[in-house]
Amino acid sequence: MSTTDHTPGPRPRRHLAAAAAAAAALMLSACGNEADGETSGSEAEAPESLTVTTFNEFGYEELFEEYEELTGIRIEHNKVDTAENARDALRNSLGAGTGASDIEAVEVDWLVEFMQYSDRFEDLSDPEVEGRWLDWKYQDAVDEDGRLIGYGTDVGPQALCYRADLFEEAGLPTDREEVAELLDGDWENYFEVGREFVANSEAAWYSGSDNIWQGMINQVEVPYETEDGEIIADTNPEVKDRYDALVTASVDDGLSAGLSQWSGDWTDAFQRDGFATMLCPGWMLGVIEGNADGVEGWDIADVFPGGGGNWGGSYLTVPSQGENVEAAKELAAWLTAPEQQIKAFEAIGAFPSTVEALESEEVQSATDEFFNDAPVGEILANRAEAVEIQPLKGPNYLLINVAIQDALNRVDVDGVDDAESSWEKFVDDVEAMR
Amino acid sequence: MAAVTSAERAQVRNTGSGAGRSAGPGRKPAAGSLRNRLSAWDRRFSPYLYISPFFLLFALVGLFPLAYTAWVAVHDWDLIMGQGEFTGWENFADVLGQRDFWVALRNTLSIFILSTGPQVVAAIVIAYMLDTNLRAKTFWRMGVLLPYVVTPVAVALIFSNLFSQRFGLVNSVLESIGIGGIGWHSEVLPSHLAIATMVNFRWTGYNALIFLAAMQAIPRDLYEQAEIDGAGRVRQFLSVTVPMLRPTIIFVVITSTIGGLQIFDEPRMYDQYGRGGTDGQWRTLTIYLYELGWTRSDFGLASAVAVLLFLLIVAIGIINFSITRRIADAEAADRRIRRQKGAR
């Protein structure tokens, strides 16, 4: 569903047309006038229809139909291909004061950025929904004045997905408990097993540095910006150390397949035994299933290098510029209620953020046929418990993270720079943001 | 620029027939009834009134945004928070001091040259072939226009897939004939070539039809004369067709200059991120502008880039204009000589 990555859109080929349409819509918005937000509802009380903008996969298609049957309100779904494009479009609508949908999905990585303009969103706090979410999920969306600007949809506790068949060929254990034991430890341990793997296999250990980076950086408590808003990304040794370790493992040790996430090559590589492991937040399960359709051997282990970690997860917000804010609030509350979160989890693997849904029998006992009938519900719930750190994300988090992923890809994917020269360009990029 | 050229041409035409006009309506007796005066005003002002809608509309949707962009460019301006402090030239100095700007400028010019040059040549050749006696003419003519009908975004999606570095069709074919994988998405020149290919795919047919229309206006007796003089097909093409097409070539070059320098869709859709590559390999000025304005929310900087882009287009436009004028002058001179010959 959502990713922390700026462009979480998986681009399975069958979605090209949809992506094209979404991109075309974006092109239009680039001309300055957001044309696609049609807040067409007439009366404030009972609008005929509501517009909802999401990105990537939220698993809402069937829920929208259900809601129409329940209330008679038709829902127009505007599905943007990537989170970054959705962010740009929403920024544009806020700037223009018009054009936003009645409900806009916001990803956790740029939520902080929009908190700066929290007065442009409706206050969603409501005694009825209090205590619904995991506490940190709820607190992240509360602004300085105590207004709640978003209802949590999913969270992204990360497990590790792996190709059991490739593991077997390379002489590694294949059983998910044994794999969990093998990879239990820090990142260095994960890289070490990778070195052993690539020595005995044609495939790479992971797809690319940018994928692994999301796992590593989401374990740093204060990565890019301090609480006071000072940018420390380029001077923070915790960032540089991780960057160096990752580049060494990816390029010097050849653990990386050198593929940039969400690119066409990356998508194709799922069909070609390109790599053996992948960081797996709940929403990534759907992405792998889509891209690796027909490939057998994927499994998921209850382990994550360096402890737990959360990658992504989103919120539904109601921009104040909409004409149907009351109806939109109701819909947002309904969509994020435990029963609906369970359905979204069943549809695409979006891991629930409400306490009740997390503890529900449906989630706890869920298995996934594609991943060798793994008990994904239980594994992800364990992984959610293992999350100890919620990194401090400032208003520039997304831009800085994009810049450092570019830096990694310059070395790992494009090979146009070495580790040092690429880092220097990153430092320049950060300097330009100050 | 296109408007200026046609105006220029019109002027040349007018001076040609100017002698006849001065003898006409201007010579009315000065003493006039109201009716006479009205009709004089009518003659004097009506033409301006008739063309005014265009200029009023242009002032509203062309001039005003242009001026407003310049206004934004000298301020701190956030996409959401709006106008900030007046900063003077600071935004311009900032932009000109960025490596990214110069890289974007290089990319823009490079993609522009790689697309416009081959495009015009190919379009003329295709038009020439369409101008010969073909069966099912309309079919072929519509055929070359087909790529133009496809939306640029769809074109970009298909081509970016073809040019995928690892598993793309183009690299597979090249590898099978022994050319190692080319970095279509990582190296500068290959990525420019790939994007220029998309642009050419889309626009060559369109320009070919414009050339075809102009070719059909070339008097056939010129070809007959050339044939009698013993000129072959190629010679006829080079010595008759191309020179007769000159004004059209200039028109096409100017329109594709404006389009080429503002290229956005193709590079934006060329990879999954739309930022022009990890190192700005194919980041054009418009992409850079978009990133500053919409991703970084800094409308001040974005507007400064827009103003600089405008100046660049004007500069290249002036170069084109001076070439146009020289050629137009030369033609007018030609015509005069021809007329004198005819009078003799």
Side-chain angles (χ1 to χ4, degrees):
Chain A
M1 164 159 186
S2 44
T3 81
T4 263
D5 196 72
H6 39 295
T7 341
R11 286 250 186 96
R13 287 217 194 93
R14 60 201 153 87
H15 288 159
L16 278 187
L26 184 84
M27 296 304 162
L28 285 177
S29 76
C31 304
N33 286 320
E34 180 81 316
D36 56 358
E38 58 292 302
T39 33
S40 54
S42 42
E43 299 135 67
E45 303 265 307
E48 273 177 28
S49 68
L50 288 169
T51 51
V52 178
T53 297
T54 65
F55 43 86
N56 208 347
E57 297 292 342
F58 271 62
Y60 280 174
E61 280 75 3
E62 281 171 27
L63 292 176
F64 287 156
E65 279 171 29
E66 198 182 323
Y67 195 72
E68 188 176 350
E69 271 167 35
L70 276 176
T71 62
I73 299 177
R74 194 164 39 83
I75 291 162
E76 288 166 34
H77 190 192
N78 176 21
K79 201 166 166 185
V80 183
D81 58 344
T82 69
E84 192 189 41
N85 287 342
R87 165 190 175 270
D88 288 356
L90 179 55
R91 288 199 76 100
N92 196 23
S93 308
L94 289 186
T98 176
S101 291
D102 292 316
I103 292 180
E104 290 271 351
V106 170
E107 221 262 310
V108 63
D109 277 8
W110 29 285
L111 176 70
V112 196
E113 203 181 304
F114 283 97
M115 288 298 243
Q116 299 175 98
Y117 322 108
S118 61
D119 58 329
R120 313 228 170 176
F121 294 94
E122 286 297 297
D123 182 7
L124 301 179
S125 46
D126 182 341
E128 255 181 57
V129 299
E130 231 155 75
R132 200 191 242 189
W133 290 273
L134 294 170
D135 194 46
W136 59 266
K137 182 77 180 174
Y138 182 87
Q139 289 305 331
D140 273 358
V142 176
D143 73 359
E144 284 170 353
D145 307 328
R147 301 167 76 246
L148 176 72
I149 70 158
Y151 286 153
T153 58
D154 63 327
V155 289
Q158 302 176 89
L160 200 84
C161 292
Y162 66 100
R163 285 279 300 273
D165 53 334
L166 296 180
F167 270 45
E168 190 173 12
E169 281 170 29
L172 293 178
T174 58
D175 180 74
R176 66 179 77 95
E177 263 106 59
E178 287 173 63
V179 171
E181 211 169 294
L182 176 75
L183 291 172
D184 189 29
D186 55 10
W187 286 98
E188 192 37 52
N189 176 57
Y190 171 73
F191 293 143
E192 192 51 49
V193 177
R195 285 180 201 113
E196 193 189 324
F197 172 84
V198 291
N200 299 308
S201 175
E202 300 263 300
W205 185 234
Y206 47 79
S207 68
S209 305
D210 49 3
N211 179 260
I212 302 301
W213 181 256
Q214 292 287 6
M216 295 174 93
I217 198 64
N218 274 313
Q219 290 172 342
V220 181
E221 214 156 354
V222 187
Y224 301 142
E225 290 162 281
T226 64
E227 200 133 7
D228 314 326
E230 191 198 343
I231 298 179
I232 53 163
D234 49 345
T235 52
N236 187 353
E238 287 199 82
V239 173
K240 182 70 165 54
D241 290 348
R242 280 172 171 76
Y243 171 88
D244 287 337
L246 182 53
V247 171
T248 309
S250 297
V251 181
D252 302 345
D253 302 337
L255 301 189
S256 160
L259 299 165
S260 150
Q261 271 185 115
W262 322 114
S263 68
D265 280 338
W266 183 81
T267 310
D268 282 349
F270 281 93
Q271 296 287 343
R272 296 173 194 248
D273 301 349
F275 44 85
T277 63
M278 171 149 288
L279 307 190
C280 255
W283 50 263
M284 188 66 100
L285 299 177
V287 175
I288 296 178
E289 270 185 62
N291 289 340
D293 192 22
V295 176
E296 278 173 33
W298 277 102
D299 207 326
I300 177 169
D302 186 0
V303 68
F304 195 72
N310 181 75
W311 175 5
S314 298
Y315 292 85
L316 296 183
T317 67
V318 178
S320 301
Q321 56 180 258
E323 283 170 28
N324 309 306
V325 290
E326 287 310 318
K329 276 184 198 173
E330 270 168 41
L331 173 58
W334 184 81
L335 283 170
T336 53
E339 306 82 58
Q340 277 66 250
Q341 288 200 340
I342 291 169
K343 286 178 189 161
F345 172 72
E346 282 166 351
I348 57 125
F351 200 66
S353 60
T354 54
V355 181
E356 202 187 313
L358 278 171
E359 287 167 357
S360 71
E361 184 56 29
E362 289 96 326
V363 171
Q364 290 286 336
S365 65
T367 59
D368 194 321
E369 207 187 326
F370 182 83
F371 291 91
N372 194 17
D373 292 318
V376 285
E378 189 194 326
I379 290 177
L380 290 172
N382 286 343
R383 291 288 94 212
E385 261 170 48
V387 178
E388 283 163 4
I389 291 171
Q390 284 304 319
L392 181 71
K393 293 179 180 177
N396 292 302
Y397 183 85
L398 181 82
L399 292 181
I400 297 173
N401 206 40
V402 165
I404 199 158
Q405 287 187 312
D406 273 351
L408 289 162
N409 286 343
R410 276 194 292 269
V411 188
D412 184 19
V413 179
D414 292 347
V416 293
D417 270 308
D418 61 26
E420 268 321 299
S421 62
S422 192
W423 177 263
E424 273 158 30
K425 285 180 188 170
F426 166 68
V427 173
D428 286 345
D429 288 344
V430 172
E431 196 53 50
M433 290 175 208
R434 286 207 171 96
Chain B
M1 278 316 295
V4 178
T5 31
S6 52
E8 177 73 10
R9 248 181 265 146
Q11 206 185 333
V12 172
R13 237 175 280 135
N14 283 346
T15 41
S17 61
R21 216 213 299 165
S22 58
R27 289 268 176 97
K28 285 276 146 114
S33 59
L34 179 66
R35 203 163 154 208
N36 274 346
R37 228 176 303 152
L38 274 181
S39 87
W41 285 346
D42 179 29
R43 263 192 300 276
R44 194 183 293 169
F45 298 117
S46 289
Y48 297 104
L49 203 66
Y50 294 147
I51 56 165
S52 66
F54 169 77
F55 286 97
L56 289 176
L57 211 63
F58 172 73
L60 192 70
V61 302
L63 220 51
F64 171 71
L66 211 67
Y68 196 65
T69 305
W71 173 249
V72 173
V74 292
H75 286 83
D76 248 345
W77 203 294
D78 185 90
L79 167 62
I80 296 180
M81 304 312 280
Q83 188 171 359
E85 279 173 26
F86 178 83
T87 56
W89 298 109
E90 212 172 281
N91 285 329
F92 290 92
D94 235 27
V95 164
L96 292 173
Q98 298 276 331
R99 173 179 164 270
D100 288 354
F101 174 79
W102 298 103
V103 170
L105 181 64
R106 174 202 72 186
N107 294 345
T108 304
L109 291 175
S110 157
I111 294 175
F112 157 64
I113 291 165
L114 284 174
S115 55
T116 305
Q119 198 184 109
V120 171
V121 174
I124 293 178
V125 173
I126 291 172
Y128 187 66
M129 292 191 291
L130 287 176
D131 196 28
T132 53
N133 269 329
L134 290 172
R135 276 168 202 277
K137 268 184 198 152
T138 316
F139 172 78
W140 297 113
R141 285 175 194 175
M142 289 318 292
V144 298
L145 198 60
L146 211 56
Y148 181 70
V149 182
V150 185
T151 74
V153 174
V155 173
L157 279 172
I158 293 164
F159 273 81
S160 68
N161 204 303
L162 289 179
F163 284 109
S164 268
Q165 212 152 307
R166 291 291 177 81
F167 312 123
L169 186 67
V170 176
N171 266 357
S172 308
V173 170
L174 287 179
E175 259 157 53
S176 69
I177 57 169
I179 299 171
I182 291 173
W184 297 112
H185 278 84
S186 60
E187 285 165 48
V188 175
L189 201 59
S191 67
H192 292 185
L193 272 173
I195 290 167
T197 309
M198 293 183 219
V199 179
N200 292 340
F201 171 78
R202 203 168 122 71
W203 287 97
T204 306
Y206 174 83
N207 286 329
L209 284 198
I210 293 180
F211 282 128
L212 177 62
M215 269 178 205
Q216 290 180 333
I218 299 175
R220 296 286 138 170
D221 51 354
L222 288 180
Y223 289 104
E224 283 162 22
Q225 282 174 9
E227 221 162 292
I228 290 167
D229 289 343
R233 277 277 180 194
V234 175
R235 186 63 204 260
Q236 280 178 33
F237 174 70
L238 292 178
S239 301
V240 180
T241 313
V242 173
M244 293 299 284
L245 281 182
R246 247 187 327 202
T248 315
I249 293 176
I250 289 157
F251 170 75
V252 168
V253 166
I254 287 171
T255 49
S256 48
T257 302
I258 296 170
L261 292 173
Q262 296 179 349
I263 182 170
F264 181 80
D265 297 11
E266 286 86 355
R268 169 109 180 130
M269 296 302 297
Y270 187 53
D271 76 348
Q272 76 274 32
Y273 295 121
R275 294 193 305 271
T278 56
D279 200 21
Q281 290 95 326
W282 63 91
R283 185 192 293 127
T284 59
L285 279 175
T286 45
I287 298 253
Y288 182 56
L289 185 161
Y290 178 83
E291 209 185 310
L292 287 176
W294 278 268
T295 307
R296 292 202 214 157
S297 272
D298 196 331
F299 260 32
L301 287 182
S303 300
V305 174
V307 170
L308 291 169
L309 179 61
F310 171 73
L311 293 178
L312 178 75
I313 295 176
V314 168
I316 295 183
I318 286 173
I319 295 171
N320 280 330
F321 177 62
S322 62
I323 297 172
T324 319
R325 192 161 52 178
R326 195 167 306 154
I327 291 171
D329 283 351
E331 268 174 16
D334 275 356
R335 228 177 292 145
R336 226 171 295 129
I337 292 165
R338 235 178 285 141
R339 218 178 297 131
Q340 281 164 3
K341 274 186 191 159
R344 229 175 274 153

